Amino acid sequence: MAQEKEIFLMDTSNLDERQKEYSNLCHDEVLAKKRMMASTFAPPMSGFGGFSGMGGMGDFGGMRGMGGMCCMSGMGGFGGMGGMSAMAAPSGGFGGYGGVGAPPMMSTYGGMGAPPGGFMASVVAPSCGDAYGYSTGNVNSGQEQGVEDSNRTVAYTDQDGRIKLFRVTARELAASSIWENPLLPPRDTQPAAGAVFRRRRKEQRIQELLHMDKEAELQMRNMATNSSRNFDNKVKASYNIWRQEFHHTNTDSTLKLMKDQIIMAKVYATIARSQDEPDLYGSLMRCIKESKAAIGDAHMDSELDSSALERAKAMGHVLSSARDVLYNSDEVSRRLRVMLQSAELSIDTVKKQNTFLVQHAAKTVPMPLHCLHMQLITDYYFRDGVIKEYFHDAALKDEEDKAKLEDRSLYHYAIFSDNVLAASVVVRSTVTHAKEPDKHVFHIVTDKLNFAAMKMWFISHSSRPATVHVENIDNFKWLNSSYCSVMRQLESARLKEYYFKAHDPSSLSDGNENLKYRNPKYLSMLNHLRFYMPEIHPKLDKILFLDDDVVVQKDLTPLWDVDLKGMVNGAVETCKESFHRFDTYLNFSHPKISENFDPRACGWAFGMNMFDLKEWKKRNITGIYHYWQDLNEDRKLWKLGTLPPGLITFYNLTYPLDRTWHVLGLGYDPAVDIAEIENAAVVHYNGNYKPWLDLAISKYKAYWSKYVDVGSPHIRHCYDGKQ
């Protein structure tokens, strides 16, 4: 009230137009509030007897309304702000009806005749949204009575128009009632600290607005204008169950119910059959058949047959009958355990079949790739005029580049592959990003079956100015079973049975071995040539090994300047928390492994490795490899593959390269960070989903396919023609 009075009595003669306008707005706001409050009260009603105003005028005392405002009339009056006069009671009596309630924000319930002691009450209306309410009160007469013994009965209407009554004591109303004795001097009441703070903050803000200069006002106005222009009034991420778009029609609750019913029906059907209940057994089996037909291939309730709900109800009735006749907790639980075990066996079989099919699809040569090899082999052996020119030019270039093959000052790469298309992408992507491509030499080794196709590709698709040299693994006379232990093992009858005999105890049907280790690539000696680098390249000091399923995205020449600190192998580590550590690949239950290696040692990746061949020879790395390979003839130390023997052979001899050099996982992990891929020097499609297969992860395929020579007539013939 004090603030409102200050606003109305403010001297505006010294204010400018903007400040006067602000003051007038404050006046209008206060008046609007007063009108709104006045409009919510009931019309005046006359009573009998006198009524007090601010000072308690009248014959029999009076009643103060909210705010203490009262008016007088000849026969009676009414209290302002929600206090309606009632018929006065004699001394010691009690008041009648009083106090038409205002809305919950400001209602008061009063109207009690003045008893001895002159207590008067102002009761806050209920907060449940009631429109109007009436209250009656009583106070015992003849003695002074405490507040605790007073009570109120309140009648009100709820939001649906129903009349409600409740009775409360003064103690229960302590938080929402104000009890006053006008005969006692008023108590000094201090406002709450929060109210004082809010009042002061409001006053301070008013003064700031009144004394705001033109520049600040203009700046505030511009900020408000820009904010309103940029304001997006669309409701985002809001949820309301009553909104139409949130009516979930694609639920599966009915579908799940029907499937659960089928499971229980099967349980009761087996019990009914064992207890010779043919009628019940027939009903259950018929309901099972009908429910399955109604479900079909549905995954959501909306896909169910129109009769599904009726089928579910019918099944419910039959199950209820079966439960009454057949239910036995021990028998039901036993049947459910049998069904669970059967389901687990079925899931295990399906998972094994899925793994086998994925492995089979990953290692099957696609028809276009097979076509490409056949076309290249045909051109190699049946040379027409153009092909002869290719061979003539290639022969001349081989003579020129012969010296480069052993030049230690150049950048040498080793690639072992039987896939022409994959090897061509590795070479092309590397040359594309090389700053000095004429200094890069690629040593490609393939098998006898694919030598002609590989040779023909690089003859007809020159990688100049880089040098590409293709060799046949069969020309390595030193590579024989007497020198190479893994070759001796690959030729053994025991290993052939492991791969080719379905009824062998360790075969696919046994299921004890991980199917990925039955990959036919482990039978290829090309996969093990990485352990014979000094024998293949005796004149070189350093060489970078690249798998044929990688793509080069940056210049790799800085790798030759990396100091390996006396280590033999430079590689990117792959351990993340507990993943890809030594215990993932090696059998630490074997004493030979547990005594020589740390199970928590960090693993690393083949695919992009810098080998120091001088240190290799000094430390006899190939001899270490042979030693451990001989110990693992029965595959007790590790399964098949090249990474486990690589971890053993280069244990404590591997220098960790920065992770940005080599990013892995594009052949199996759909969650590889795109930013890491973009920033990597080499990306590796390790896994089953190779980029040249239909199984490839689509979002990674473009990193590889952009280096395919789509202008090649061989590519167009085999891929565009779908041969």
Side-chain angles (χ1 to χ4, degrees):
M1 295 295 294
Q3 294 177 2
E4 295 172 357
K5 182 177 180 181
E6 180 181 348
I7 291 174
F8 277 97
L9 298 179
M10 181 183 296
D11 183 11
T12 61
S13 59
N14 296 325
L15 302 179
D16 58 20
E17 292 301 326
R18 178 177 54 83
Q19 294 171 336
K20 288 181 180 179
E21 182 180 359
Y22 183 83
S23 178
N24 292 334
L25 290 174
C26 293
H27 293 174
D28 295 342
E29 182 180 0
V30 172
L31 290 174
K33 290 180 179 178
K34 297 292 184 183
R35 294 190 189 100
M36 180 188 70
M37 294 166 64
S39 65
T40 60
F41 304 117
M45 297 177 63
S46 297
F48 295 93
F51 289 80
S52 67
M54 295 292 293
M57 299 171 60
D59 294 334
F60 294 98
M63 181 194 73
R64 181 184 300 174
M66 185 174 179
M69 299 174 62
C70 236
C71 59
M72 296 178 58
S73 66
M75 294 296 292
F78 67 93
M81 302 296 289
M84 184 182 74
S85 65
M87 184 169 62
S91 177
F94 63 91
Y97 291 98
V100 175
M105 291 295 294
M106 50 191 154
S107 300
T108 61
Y109 290 79
M112 184 177 70
F119 281 100
M120 302 190 328
S122 172
V123 184
V124 178
S127 60
C128 57
D130 308 321
Y132 299 98
Y134 305 91
S135 66
T136 63
N138 61 74
V139 181
N140 294 332
S141 61
Q143 59 180 350
E144 292 187 4
Q145 188 70 19
V147 171
E148 291 81 357
D149 297 329
S150 302
N151 58 71
R152 310 283 295 176
T153 300
V154 180
Y156 65 95
T157 57
D158 61 13
Q159 63 268 27
D160 296 323
R162 293 187 293 268
I163 297 175
K164 300 289 185 178
L165 295 173
F166 68 91
R167 183 182 182 89
V168 292
T169 64
R171 185 181 300 278
E172 293 171 335
L173 288 171
S176 58
S177 304
I178 303 171
W179 297 82
E180 298 179 354
N181 188 346
L183 300 179
L184 297 176
R187 294 177 295 175
D188 294 333
T189 57
Q190 296 294 331
V196 174
F197 173 76
R198 286 191 294 272
R199 188 184 74 248
R200 290 178 179 175
R201 185 174 62 182
K202 184 176 181 181
E203 293 173 353
Q204 181 181 359
R205 182 58 180 161
I206 291 174
Q207 294 299 323
E208 290 177 356
L209 291 173
L210 290 175
H211 296 89
M212 183 184 296
D213 57 15
K214 293 290 184 181
E215 183 178 353
E217 181 184 6
L218 182 61
Q219 183 179 1
M220 180 179 290
R221 185 181 303 170
N222 292 336
M223 290 175 60
T225 302
N226 293 334
S227 177
S228 63
R229 287 175 179 173
N230 298 328
F231 177 70
D232 184 6
N233 61 356
K234 294 181 180 179
V235 179
K236 297 179 179 179
S238 63
Y239 179 82
N240 189 321
I241 61 173
W242 305 112
R243 290 172 61 179
Q244 185 65 32
E245 55 266 36
F246 292 111
H247 288 178
H248 298 290
T249 57
N250 292 330
T251 60
D252 59 351
S253 56
T254 304
L255 178 64
K256 289 180 178 178
L257 172 64
M258 295 183 71
K259 289 183 176 180
D260 291 342
Q261 287 179 333
I262 291 173
I263 292 173
M264 290 307 302
K266 288 180 178 179
V267 172
Y268 284 127
T270 56
I271 297 175
R273 190 172 186 178
S274 63
Q275 295 185 6
D276 195 20
E277 294 283 350
D279 295 338
L280 191 55
Y281 173 78
S283 298
L284 288 167
M285 294 305 295
R286 183 175 63 256
C287 286
I288 291 173
K289 183 178 180 180
E290 292 174 351
S291 293
K292 286 184 175 180
I295 292 174
D297 297 327
H299 296 89
M300 291 290 178
D301 290 352
S302 58
E303 300 173 357
L304 290 171
D305 187 81
S306 58
S307 63
L309 194 57
E310 293 299 324
R311 301 300 182 194
K313 291 179 181 178
M315 175 71 87
H317 292 309
V318 175
L319 286 175
S320 179
S321 302
R323 179 183 175 87
D324 295 339
V325 176
L326 303 173
Y327 182 75
N328 179 286
S329 58
D330 293 337
E331 181 69 15
V332 170
S333 62
R334 187 178 70 84
R335 299 285 182 176
L336 287 173
R337 283 197 298 270
V338 171
M339 292 178 66
L340 180 61
Q341 292 174 356
S342 176
E344 289 178 346
L345 290 174
S346 299
I347 292 172
D348 186 59
T349 301
V350 171
K351 287 173 65 177
K352 191 183 299 183
Q353 290 175 349
N354 177 71
T355 304
F356 173 76
L357 292 174
V358 169
Q359 293 288 334
H360 179 71
K363 303 310 168 188
T364 301
V365 178
M367 184 62 71
L369 188 57
H370 176 70
C371 167
L372 178 63
H373 280 238
M374 294 297 100
Q375 288 289 325
L376 292 170
I377 292 173
T378 301
D379 289 347
Y380 183 84
Y381 288 108
F382 300 96
R383 306 173 188 176
D384 56 17
V386 177
I387 301 299
K388 288 181 179 179
E389 292 182 6
Y390 284 154
F391 274 87
H392 177 71
D393 295 340
L396 294 176
K397 189 176 186 300
D398 288 345
E399 288 295 325
E400 296 174 1
D401 296 340
K402 191 173 183 179
K404 289 185 176 182
L405 300 179
E406 298 177 351
D407 190 343
R408 295 186 180 93
S409 64
L410 302 180
Y411 307 109
H412 295 267
Y413 300 84
I415 302 172
F416 309 127
S417 176
D418 57 1
N419 188 325
V420 173
L421 192 60
S424 70
V425 168
V426 176
V427 173
R428 195 174 191 204
S429 63
T430 306
V431 173
T432 300
H433 295 284
K435 294 181 179 178
E436 299 177 293
D438 58 308
K439 294 184 177 181
H440 292 254
V441 182
F442 297 88
H443 303 266
I444 299 177
V445 180
T446 187
D447 55 18
K448 182 178 181 179
L449 183 64
N450 296 283
F451 175 76
M454 191 76 72
K455 188 76 173 178
M456 187 66 220
W457 175 270
F458 287 103
I459 288 176
S460 58
H461 302 79
S462 176
S463 300
R464 292 182 181 179
T467 301
V468 178
H469 179 63
V470 180
E471 293 184 88
N472 186 348
I473 190 174
D474 290 346
N475 294 335
F476 298 153
K477 301 304 181 184
W478 49 267
L479 193 63
N480 51 62
S481 57
S482 61
Y483 174 68
C484 179
S485 55
V486 69
M487 180 174 284
R488 183 171 60 254
Q489 293 171 12
L490 291 175
E491 293 175 353
S492 66
R494 185 175 180 180
L495 201 62
K496 290 178 181 178
E497 287 182 352
Y498 175 80
Y499 274 104
F500 300 114
K501 289 194 176 181
H503 300 291
D504 186 80
S506 63
S507 66
L508 177 65
S509 59
D510 185 60
N512 293 328
E513 307 264 356
N514 193 323
L515 291 177
K516 72 178 183 179
Y517 297 115
R518 300 175 180 277
N519 194 318
K521 75 177 183 180
Y522 299 124
L523 289 174
S524 173
M525 195 59 204
L526 285 174
N527 204 43
H528 296 267
L529 279 182
R530 64 194 69 189
F531 295 104
Y532 298 95
M533 288 293 185
E535 286 81 358
I536 302 171
H537 309 288
K539 301 291 183 67
L540 301 180
D541 292 337
K542 275 189 173 184
I543 193 166
L544 183 65
F545 167 72
L546 294 176
D547 263 337
D548 63 356
D549 55 353
V550 305
V551 173
V552 178
Q553 301 185 132
K554 293 182 180 180
D555 181 30
L556 300 181
T557 53
L559 282 171
W560 274 263
D561 297 327
V562 174
D563 183 5
L564 298 182
K565 309 294 184 183
M567 302 296 180
V568 179
N569 174 31
V572 171
E573 293 182 334
T574 57
C575 54
K576 296 179 181 179
E577 298 177 357
S578 61
F579 302 106
H580 298 294
R581 297 187 182 274
F582 271 44
D583 56 359
T584 306
Y585 305 98
L586 305 176
N587 179 20
F588 275 86
S589 63
H590 197 287
K592 272 291 185 180
I593 297 295
S594 58
E595 292 171 3
N596 290 279
F597 305 101
D598 178 9
R600 304 298 300 159
C602 188
W604 45 268
F606 273 127
M608 190 210 73
N609 305 80
M610 176 59 71
F611 292 123
D612 186 335
L613 300 185
K614 292 174 66 176
E615 287 293 330
W616 186 306
K617 297 172 187 175
K618 185 187 301 184
R619 296 177 181 271
N620 190 23
I621 296 300
T622 304
I624 296 173
Y625 166 71
H626 285 162
Y627 170 78
W628 286 102
Q629 194 69 48
D630 288 338
L631 291 177
N632 192 50
E633 187 170 0
D634 56 357
R635 300 185 304 281
K636 298 297 184 182
L637 305 184
W638 69 85
K639 304 302 179 184
L640 293 177
T642 55
L643 183 56
L647 296 176
I648 290 176
T649 301
F650 297 103
Y651 184 61
N652 289 333
L653 296 173
T654 299
Y655 177 80
L657 298 174
D658 189 273
R659 290 184 181 274
T660 58
W661 281 112
H662 188 192
V663 170
L664 299 101
L666 278 70
Y668 70 90
D669 184 6
V672 180
D673 188 356
I674 297 299
E676 291 185 5
I677 296 175
E678 298 286 350
N679 193 45
V682 174
V683 292
H684 194 173
Y685 292 83
N686 57 311
N688 287 325
Y689 306 134
K690 301 300 183 185
W692 53 83
L693 300 175
D694 292 335
L695 296 174
I697 301 174
S698 57
K699 66 178 179 178
Y700 303 147
K701 198 166 185 177
Y703 297 105
W704 182 85
S705 60
K706 64 182 177 181
Y707 295 106
V708 175
D709 188 358
V710 293
S712 166
H714 298 99
I715 296 290
R716 290 200 304 268
H717 176 74
C718 293
Y719 281 83
D720 295 345
K722 307 293 183 184
Q723 296 291 326

